[in-house]
PDB file of all heavy atoms in Angstrom:
ATOM      1  N   ARG A  84      -1.077   3.613  19.300  1.00 98.00           N
ATOM      2  CA  ARG A  84      -2.396   3.727  18.818  1.00 98.00           C
ATOM      3  C   ARG A  84      -3.452   2.958  19.640  1.00 98.00           C
ATOM      4  O   ARG A  84      -4.540   3.403  19.974  1.00 98.00           O
ATOM      5  CB  ARG A  84      -2.473   3.217  17.319  1.00 98.00           C
ATOM      6  CG  ARG A  84      -1.728   4.004  16.283  1.00 98.00           C
ATOM      7  CD  ARG A  84      -1.566   3.326  15.003  1.00 98.00           C
ATOM      8  NE  ARG A  84      -2.879   3.105  14.353  1.00 98.00           N
ATOM      9  CZ  ARG A  84      -3.179   2.077  13.605  1.00 98.00           C
ATOM     10  NH1 ARG A  84      -2.282   1.175  13.309  1.00 98.00           N
ATOM     11  NH2 ARG A  84      -4.363   1.958  12.976  1.00 98.00           N
ATOM     12  N   ILE A  85      -3.061   1.719  19.985  1.00 97.00           N
ATOM     13  CA  ILE A  85      -3.961   0.840  20.761  1.00 97.00           C
ATOM     14  C   ILE A  85      -4.172   1.474  22.168  1.00 97.00           C
ATOM     15  O   ILE A  85      -5.387   1.503  22.640  1.00 97.00           O
ATOM     16  CB  ILE A  85      -3.355  -0.559  20.856  1.00 97.00           C
ATOM     17  CG1 ILE A  85      -3.329  -1.262  19.550  1.00 97.00           C
ATOM     18  CG2 ILE A  85      -4.283  -1.395  21.923  1.00 97.00           C
ATOM     19  CD1 ILE A  85      -2.499  -2.539  19.498  1.00 97.00           C
ATOM     20  N   ALA A  86      -3.147   1.886  22.789  1.00 96.00           N
ATOM     21  CA  ALA A  86      -3.280   2.496  24.159  1.00 96.00           C
ATOM     22  C   ALA A  86      -4.214   3.723  24.113  1.00 96.00           C
ATOM     23  O   ALA A  86      -5.071   3.946  24.980  1.00 96.00           O
ATOM     24  CB  ALA A  86      -1.955   2.787  24.696  1.00 96.00           C
ATOM     25  N   ALA A  87      -4.053   4.545  23.087  1.00 97.00           N
ATOM     26  CA  ALA A  87      -4.787   5.800  23.070  1.00 97.00           C
ATOM     27  C   ALA A  87      -6.249   5.425  22.787  1.00 97.00           C
ATOM     28  O   ALA A  87      -7.165   6.028  23.335  1.00 97.00           O
ATOM     29  CB  ALA A  87      -4.208   6.742  22.020  1.00 97.00           C
ATOM     30  N   THR A  88      -6.560   4.593  21.788  1.00 98.00           N
ATOM     31  CA  THR A  88      -7.945   4.209  21.489  1.00 98.00           C
ATOM     32  C   THR A  88      -8.588   3.614  22.724  1.00 98.00           C
ATOM     33  O   THR A  88      -9.799   3.889  22.957  1.00 98.00           O
ATOM     34  CB  THR A  88      -7.936   3.095  20.336  1.00 98.00           C
ATOM     35  OG1 THR A  88      -7.125   3.584  19.280  1.00 98.00           O
ATOM     36  CG2 THR A  88      -9.286   2.802  19.858  1.00 98.00           C
ATOM     37  N   ASN A  89      -7.827   2.772  23.452  1.00 96.00           N
ATOM     38  CA  ASN A  89      -8.452   2.160  24.652  1.00 96.00           C
ATOM     39  C   ASN A  89      -8.774   3.224  25.701  1.00 96.00           C
ATOM     40  O   ASN A  89      -9.858   3.220  26.347  1.00 96.00           O
ATOM     41  CB  ASN A  89      -7.448   1.146  25.249  1.00 96.00           C
ATOM     42  CG  ASN A  89      -7.906   0.492  26.489  1.00 96.00           C
ATOM     43  OD1 ASN A  89      -8.699  -0.360  26.441  1.00 96.00           O
ATOM     44  ND2 ASN A  89      -7.384   0.972  27.651  1.00 96.00           N
ATOM     45  N   ALA A  90      -7.902   4.168  25.909  1.00 97.00           N
ATOM     46  CA  ALA A  90      -8.148   5.220  26.902  1.00 97.00           C
ATOM     47  C   ALA A  90      -9.393   6.114  26.529  1.00 97.00           C
ATOM     48  O   ALA A  90     -10.253   6.401  27.320  1.00 97.00           O
ATOM     49  CB  ALA A  90      -6.935   6.087  27.121  1.00 97.00           C
ATOM     50  N   LEU A  91      -9.430   6.487  25.272  1.00 98.00           N
ATOM     51  CA  LEU A  91     -10.522   7.346  24.812  1.00 98.00           C
ATOM     52  C   LEU A  91     -11.870   6.584  24.862  1.00 98.00           C
ATOM     53  O   LEU A  91     -12.943   7.224  24.989  1.00 98.00           O
ATOM     54  CB  LEU A  91     -10.299   7.779  23.428  1.00 98.00           C
ATOM     55  CG  LEU A  91      -9.127   8.790  23.272  1.00 98.00           C
ATOM     56  CD1 LEU A  91      -8.694   8.953  21.776  1.00 98.00           C
ATOM     57  CD2 LEU A  91      -9.489  10.106  23.861  1.00 98.00           C
ATOM     58  N   SER A  92     -11.872   5.266  24.862  1.00 97.00           N
ATOM     59  CA  SER A  92     -13.084   4.494  24.886  1.00 97.00           C
ATOM     60  C   SER A  92     -13.939   4.747  26.147  1.00 97.00           C
ATOM     61  O   SER A  92     -15.161   4.735  26.027  1.00 97.00           O
ATOM     62  CB  SER A  92     -12.731   3.009  24.785  1.00 97.00           C
ATOM     63  OG  SER A  92     -13.883   2.154  24.804  1.00 97.00           O
ATOM     64  N   ASP A  93     -13.266   5.079  27.234  1.00 96.00           N
ATOM     65  CA  ASP A  93     -13.989   5.301  28.501  1.00 96.00           C
ATOM     66  C   ASP A  93     -14.942   6.592  28.343  1.00 96.00           C
ATOM     67  O   ASP A  93     -15.988   6.685  28.972  1.00 96.00           O
ATOM     68  CB  ASP A  93     -13.125   5.496  29.642  1.00 96.00           C
ATOM     69  CG  ASP A  93     -12.478   4.122  30.059  1.00 96.00           C
ATOM     70  OD1 ASP A  93     -13.129   3.087  29.770  1.00 96.00           O
ATOM     71  OD2 ASP A  93     -11.406   4.141  30.768  1.00 96.00           O
ATOM     72  N   VAL A  94     -14.419   7.567  27.607  1.00 97.00           N
ATOM     73  CA  VAL A  94     -15.217   8.810  27.376  1.00 97.00           C
ATOM     74  C   VAL A  94     -16.443   8.432  26.504  1.00 97.00           C
ATOM     75  O   VAL A  94     -17.499   8.802  26.818  1.00 97.00           O
ATOM     76  CB  VAL A  94     -14.410   9.825  26.666  1.00 97.00           C
ATOM     77  CG1 VAL A  94     -15.264  11.020  26.297  1.00 97.00           C
ATOM     78  CG2 VAL A  94     -13.179  10.316  27.576  1.00 97.00           C
ATOM     79  N   TYR A  95     -16.210   7.689  25.479  1.00 98.00           N
ATOM     80  CA  TYR A  95     -17.322   7.280  24.638  1.00 98.00           C
ATOM     81  C   TYR A  95     -18.384   6.394  25.383  1.00 98.00           C
ATOM     82  O   TYR A  95     -19.589   6.513  25.189  1.00 98.00           O
ATOM     83  CB  TYR A  95     -16.774   6.441  23.414  1.00 98.00           C
ATOM     84  CG  TYR A  95     -16.021   7.302  22.401  1.00 98.00           C
ATOM     85  CD1 TYR A  95     -14.787   6.918  22.064  1.00 98.00           C
ATOM     86  CD2 TYR A  95     -16.579   8.382  21.785  1.00 98.00           C
ATOM     87  CE1 TYR A  95     -14.073   7.654  21.108  1.00 98.00           C
ATOM     88  CE2 TYR A  95     -15.908   9.143  20.857  1.00 98.00           C
ATOM     89  CZ  TYR A  95     -14.611   8.763  20.525  1.00 98.00           C
ATOM     90  OH  TYR A  95     -13.882   9.472  19.639  1.00 98.00           O
ATOM     91  N   ALA A  96     -17.840   5.581  26.329  1.00 96.00           N
ATOM     92  CA  ALA A  96     -18.778   4.707  27.056  1.00 96.00           C
ATOM     93  C   ALA A  96     -19.700   5.543  27.983  1.00 96.00           C
ATOM     94  O   ALA A  96     -20.702   5.009  28.434  1.00 96.00           O
ATOM     95  CB  ALA A  96     -17.917   3.718  27.905  1.00 96.00           C
ATOM     96  N   MET A  97     -19.300   6.782  28.294  1.00 96.00           N
ATOM     97  CA  MET A  97     -20.144   7.573  29.168  1.00 96.00           C
ATOM     98  C   MET A  97     -21.074   8.495  28.247  1.00 96.00           C
ATOM     99  O   MET A  97     -21.832   9.265  28.860  1.00 96.00           O
ATOM    100  CB  MET A  97     -19.290   8.481  30.043  1.00 96.00           C
ATOM    101  CG  MET A  97     -18.263   7.747  30.891  1.00 96.00           C
ATOM    102  SD  MET A  97     -19.002   6.551  32.044  1.00 96.00           S
ATOM    103  CE  MET A  97     -19.945   7.551  33.096  1.00 96.00           C
ATOM    104  N   GLY A  98     -21.051   8.328  26.974  1.00 97.00           N
ATOM    105  CA  GLY A  98     -21.843   9.074  26.045  1.00 97.00           C
ATOM    106  C   GLY A  98     -21.220  10.369  25.653  1.00 97.00           C
ATOM    107  O   GLY A  98     -21.879  11.191  25.045  1.00 97.00           O
ATOM    108  N   GLY A  99     -19.902  10.519  25.921  1.00 97.00           N
ATOM    109  CA  GLY A  99     -19.304  11.812  25.656  1.00 97.00           C
ATOM    110  C   GLY A  99     -18.485  11.923  24.359  1.00 97.00           C
ATOM    111  O   GLY A  99     -18.221  10.941  23.708  1.00 97.00           O
ATOM    112  N   GLN A 100     -18.052  13.120  24.077  1.00 98.00           N
ATOM    113  CA  GLN A 100     -17.171  13.433  22.976  1.00 98.00           C
ATOM    114  C   GLN A 100     -15.840  13.841  23.553  1.00 98.00           C
ATOM    115  O   GLN A 100     -15.748  14.790  24.299  1.00 98.00           O
ATOM    116  CB  GLN A 100     -17.789  14.588  22.065  1.00 98.00           C
ATOM    117  CG  GLN A 100     -16.883  15.019  20.950  1.00 98.00           C
ATOM    118  CD  GLN A 100     -16.633  13.833  19.982  1.00 98.00           C
ATOM    119  OE1 GLN A 100     -17.576  13.168  19.549  1.00 98.00           O
ATOM    120  NE2 GLN A 100     -15.353  13.598  19.580  1.00 98.00           N
ATOM    121  N   PRO A 101     -14.762  13.109  23.233  1.00 98.00           N
ATOM    122  CA  PRO A 101     -13.406  13.517  23.732  1.00 98.00           C
ATOM    123  C   PRO A 101     -13.056  14.968  23.265  1.00 98.00           C
ATOM    124  O   PRO A 101     -13.385  15.328  22.151  1.00 98.00           O
ATOM    125  CB  PRO A 101     -12.485  12.483  23.114  1.00 98.00           C
ATOM    126  CG  PRO A 101     -13.328  11.313  22.794  1.00 98.00           C
ATOM    127  CD  PRO A 101     -14.700  11.952  22.364  1.00 98.00           C
ATOM    128  N   ILE A 102     -12.381  15.681  24.178  1.00 98.00           N
ATOM    129  CA  ILE A 102     -11.938  17.066  23.801  1.00 98.00           C
ATOM    130  C   ILE A 102     -10.503  17.306  23.888  1.00 98.00           C
ATOM    131  O   ILE A 102      -9.921  18.051  23.122  1.00 98.00           O
ATOM    132  CB  ILE A 102     -12.713  18.160  24.620  1.00 98.00           C
ATOM    133  CG1 ILE A 102     -12.573  17.815  26.159  1.00 98.00           C
ATOM    134  CG2 ILE A 102     -14.180  18.185  24.233  1.00 98.00           C
ATOM    135  CD1 ILE A 102     -13.052  18.910  27.068  1.00 98.00           C
ATOM    136  N   PHE A 103      -9.782  16.671  24.836  1.00 98.00           N
ATOM    137  CA  PHE A 103      -8.366  16.695  24.897  1.00 98.00           C
ATOM    138  C   PHE A 103      -7.823  15.618  25.818  1.00 98.00           C
ATOM    139  O   PHE A 103      -8.548  14.900  26.458  1.00 98.00           O
ATOM    140  CB  PHE A 103      -7.762  18.083  25.249  1.00 98.00           C
ATOM    141  CG  PHE A 103      -7.885  18.373  26.760  1.00 98.00           C
ATOM    142  CD1 PHE A 103      -6.745  18.107  27.603  1.00 98.00           C
ATOM    143  CD2 PHE A 103      -9.023  18.917  27.335  1.00 98.00           C
ATOM    144  CE1 PHE A 103      -6.785  18.451  28.953  1.00 98.00           C
ATOM    145  CE2 PHE A 103      -9.080  19.164  28.713  1.00 98.00           C
ATOM    146  CZ  PHE A 103      -7.950  18.940  29.483  1.00 98.00           C
ATOM    147  N   SER A 104      -6.448  15.378  25.709  1.00 98.00           N
ATOM    148  CA  SER A 104      -5.925  14.268  26.529  1.00 98.00           C
ATOM    149  C   SER A 104      -4.497  14.692  26.991  1.00 98.00           C
ATOM    150  O   SER A 104      -3.934  15.657  26.512  1.00 98.00           O
ATOM    151  CB  SER A 104      -5.799  13.003  25.656  1.00 98.00           C
ATOM    152  OG  SER A 104      -5.136  13.224  24.440  1.00 98.00           O
ATOM    153  N   LEU A 105      -4.003  13.964  27.955  1.00 98.00           N
ATOM    154  CA  LEU A 105      -2.621  14.037  28.470  1.00 98.00           C
ATOM    155  C   LEU A 105      -1.975  12.669  28.413  1.00 98.00           C
ATOM    156  O   LEU A 105      -2.620  11.705  28.716  1.00 98.00           O
ATOM    157  CB  LEU A 105      -2.682  14.549  29.912  1.00 98.00           C
ATOM    158  CG  LEU A 105      -3.440  15.824  30.237  1.00 98.00           C
ATOM    159  CD1 LEU A 105      -3.571  16.111  31.724  1.00 98.00           C
ATOM    160  CD2 LEU A 105      -2.689  17.048  29.570  1.00 98.00           C
TER     161      LEU A 105
END
Side-chain angles (χ1 to χ4, degrees):
R84 293 168 65 208
I85 294 168
T88 306
N89 180 75
L91 292 165
S92 181
D93 288 338
V94 174
Y95 290 124
M97 306 303 293
Q100 177 61 49
I102 54 172
F103 77 95
S104 54
L105 304 172

